[in-house]
Amino acid sequence: MCNGSSARIAPASAVGRAEARTAARQQRKAMPLTPSTPEHVKERTEKMQRFEQEMKRRLKPKQVEKSSEVLATPALNLAGTARPEVMAAARAQAAAAATAVSFDTGVREDLLDELDARGAAGELLSQYMLEQSEVQALIAARGPSQGAIHLPAEIREICLRTMAALVSLVGLNDSKRIDAALLLDTYCALQKSSMEDLIESIPATCAAVVHLLRKMESQKCSTTTAALARVASQASLMLQQVGYRSMPEVTQQDVLQQEHLIRATLQWRLRGATVPTWLQLICKRMDVISCGNWSGVIEWVIASSSASAMTLVLHQRSYADMAPQQMANGLLGVFLVTAGLVPLQSMKPADVMLGEWEALYAKSQGQGCIPTCTLHPSMTPRFLCLLEMASGCRLDLLQNEMLATMSAMLEIVRKATEASPGQQSGARIQI
């Protein structure tokens, strides 16, 4: 629990977690509900309402009043984009709920064992939420005078191209570009130097980020820090060419020093759940809880949403534009609609007009028509209940996160359409 002196949540002991798990299982046996029963829906609704209660208990009176005002405002402004203050307040509620709600309440006992076996238990979902809320609490604790610093889009693009070259250089899988982007964004949001100092050291930071990822993958790395420093020096030169102050040359010592700063700044939080990690977890839970009824379609949703996650992450700064869980929930909603498992209208926020909602989906996904839901209408409430249980989020939150995600995807489409061929290609990093 956060207090005035520290924003870090103390982890429970192994014995405490085991006792809590045993008590939760005994409680589930006493309440053998299924996701489709009215009793389960009522119980889960009551538990989800603890979001607001938990938030009011944790925040100061002025913060509660401000958050209540935020939640009462429309989620869509005149430009058709999600309002960040709405999403921030909703995400704070979800983080608070992670400590108070058992996400596996109502799941059959045999399915609980399968969730454990597939690494998709509710405890893991809660752990991811808590880890993300820790980072958000640290960012919020900086206050207005020391607000989080987020890289300008132009500089971040250079950083991402540099890290892509470095990921290839050290032999990591291309998907690690997403991990590198998350680690870089989190460090930039939490570090305490000025924007000018951050930009000056950012080439060495990029090399340090990839080097840390390689060390976490395996301690045996044939690539030397000297090779990483040479690639980072090219990024430094690119920054100078576009008018930014940067170190003339990145040395091995610069890279090692930035590694130390990253570990200290993030308090060793180096393995944050990425968007694909969230997607894999939620989809596994959906597959198990639904007894595999839509396994084939869910596999397609995982593959398609993970591919789009790469594009979204490379254009959206984590914890500045959207948090990883928010991106994952939004992408999941988009591709469940595209796959025909959920009607588009059922994912519409209450304060958005249907015509605007359909137009946003069509433009952001490049589709001329709205997908037809293949499930019988009577199945929709049950499937939405399944989605809430799998994600650990209420439907209204999932709807707003789908709105934010589609708005971001539409902006990416617009920028790609307006960009000139020269802008699209950009400068290249040589290995």
Side-chain angles (χ1 to χ4, degrees):
M1 184 174 181
C2 301
N3 54 38
S5 61
S6 174
R8 181 160 187 165
I9 301 174
S13 65
V15 176
R17 288 195 299 267
E19 293 177 350
R21 189 171 180 78
T22 301
R25 283 184 175 275
Q26 293 175 348
Q27 182 182 17
R28 292 171 189 136
K29 289 180 179 181
M31 297 184 299
L33 300 174
T34 61
S36 59
T37 61
E39 292 83 359
H40 172 270
V41 175
K42 179 180 178 181
E43 179 187 3
R44 184 158 184 80
T45 300
E46 293 174 351
K47 284 181 175 290
M48 287 299 183
Q49 287 174 350
R50 296 180 186 175
F51 281 9
E52 290 82 4
Q53 297 174 3
E54 186 71 11
M55 186 178 180
K56 291 179 180 179
R57 185 179 69 82
R58 292 185 176 209
L59 299 180
K60 296 178 181 179
K62 292 184 179 180
Q63 291 175 309
V64 173
E65 182 180 354
K66 183 177 180 181
S67 299
S68 300
E69 294 174 356
V70 167
L71 289 172
T73 59
L76 193 69
N77 61 20
L78 296 178
T81 58
R83 299 184 62 173
E85 63 268 24
V86 175
M87 303 311 304
R91 177 54 53 208
Q93 291 182 337
T99 63
V101 178
S102 174
F103 297 115
D104 289 341
T105 299
V107 180
R108 295 201 322 253
E109 191 68 21
D110 59 323
L111 297 182
L112 290 173
D113 295 333
E114 188 174 351
L115 284 172
D116 288 338
R118 294 183 60 178
E123 289 84 352
L124 183 59
L125 183 65
S126 178
Q127 177 186 333
Y128 284 174
M129 283 187 174
L130 287 173
E131 289 174 352
Q132 181 171 279
S133 68
E134 282 182 345
V135 175
Q136 292 173 313
L138 287 171
I139 294 174
R142 293 173 62 87
S145 60
Q146 295 181 328
I149 295 179
H150 303 289
L151 290 174
E154 181 182 29
I155 297 178
R156 187 173 183 268
E157 184 179 352
I158 293 176
C159 292
L160 293 177
R161 290 205 300 269
T162 301
M163 291 191 297
L166 290 168
V167 164
S168 176
L169 177 65
V170 300
L172 289 173
N173 188 285
D174 191 57
S175 63
K176 288 297 181 180
R177 293 167 58 191
I178 293 182
D179 298 70
L182 175 60
L183 194 53
L184 178 69
D185 289 339
T186 307
Y187 168 74
C188 290
L190 291 175
Q191 60 84 40
K192 299 180 180 179
S193 61
S194 65
M195 176 66 80
E196 291 75 15
D197 292 338
L198 173 63
I199 294 174
E200 184 176 7
S201 62
I202 204 66
T205 303
C206 292
V209 164
V210 176
H211 201 210
L212 285 170
L213 291 176
R214 187 65 184 86
K215 287 180 179 178
M216 287 188 285
E217 191 85 2
S218 172
Q219 288 295 331
K220 298 180 180 180
C221 179
S222 59
T223 308
T224 63
T225 51
L228 297 172
R230 284 195 295 272
V231 175
S233 295
Q234 296 181 44
S236 182
L237 179 60
M238 291 173 59
L239 288 173
Q240 295 173 27
Q241 290 174 345
V242 294
Y244 292 97
R245 187 187 70 185
S246 185
M247 54 183 62
E249 183 181 3
V250 179
T251 66
Q252 298 182 58
Q253 186 61 33
D254 293 329
V255 176
L256 295 176
Q257 182 180 357
Q258 286 305 115
E259 284 187 36
H260 174 74
L261 285 175
I262 292 172
R263 288 193 295 263
T265 301
L266 301 186
Q267 301 178 19
W268 289 88
R269 295 178 180 85
L270 304 178
R271 295 182 181 273
T274 62
V275 177
T277 303
W278 280 104
L279 287 168
Q280 289 278 350
L281 175 60
I282 298 172
C283 288
K284 282 182 183 179
R285 289 176 56 79
M286 289 184 65
D287 190 35
V288 172
I289 298 173
S290 65
C291 301
N293 288 331
W294 299 287
S295 293
V297 182
I298 290 177
E299 288 179 4
W300 178 88
V301 169
I302 293 176
S304 301
S305 57
S306 297
S308 294
M310 176 71 77
T311 302
L312 189 61
V313 167
L314 296 183
H315 288 83
Q316 297 290 305
R317 300 165 299 178
S318 301
Y319 299 111
D321 300 316
M322 287 191 287
Q325 184 188 13
Q326 179 185 355
M327 295 187 202
N329 285 342
L331 286 171
L332 182 62
V334 168
F335 285 96
L336 286 175
V337 170
T338 305
L341 287 180
V342 177
L344 178 61
Q345 184 174 356
S346 67
M347 296 301 295
K348 180 185 74 65
D351 55 355
V352 178
M353 298 296 293
L354 179 59
E356 294 178 355
W357 183 245
E358 292 178 343
L360 177 60
Y361 173 86
K363 291 179 180 179
S364 65
Q365 305 306 308
Q367 297 192 16
C369 58
I370 304 302
T372 302
C373 182
T374 58
L375 298 183
H376 191 274
S378 62
M379 290 289 293
T380 298
R382 297 176 61 185
F383 193 90
L384 293 177
C385 183
L386 166 66
L387 181 58
E388 284 186 324
M389 179 174 288
S391 65
C393 298
R394 294 188 308 184
L395 180 60
D396 58 345
L397 180 60
L398 295 172
Q399 291 169 336
N400 278 302
E401 294 185 337
M402 183 173 170
L403 166 65
T405 300
M406 290 199 302
S407 299
M409 297 172 82
L410 178 60
E411 186 63 23
I412 294 173
V413 171
R414 286 174 177 169
K415 289 181 179 179
T417 304
E418 296 171 357
S420 64
Q423 290 174 317
Q424 290 177 349
S425 59
R428 298 191 63 181
I429 300 289
Q430 299 295 327
I431 298 177

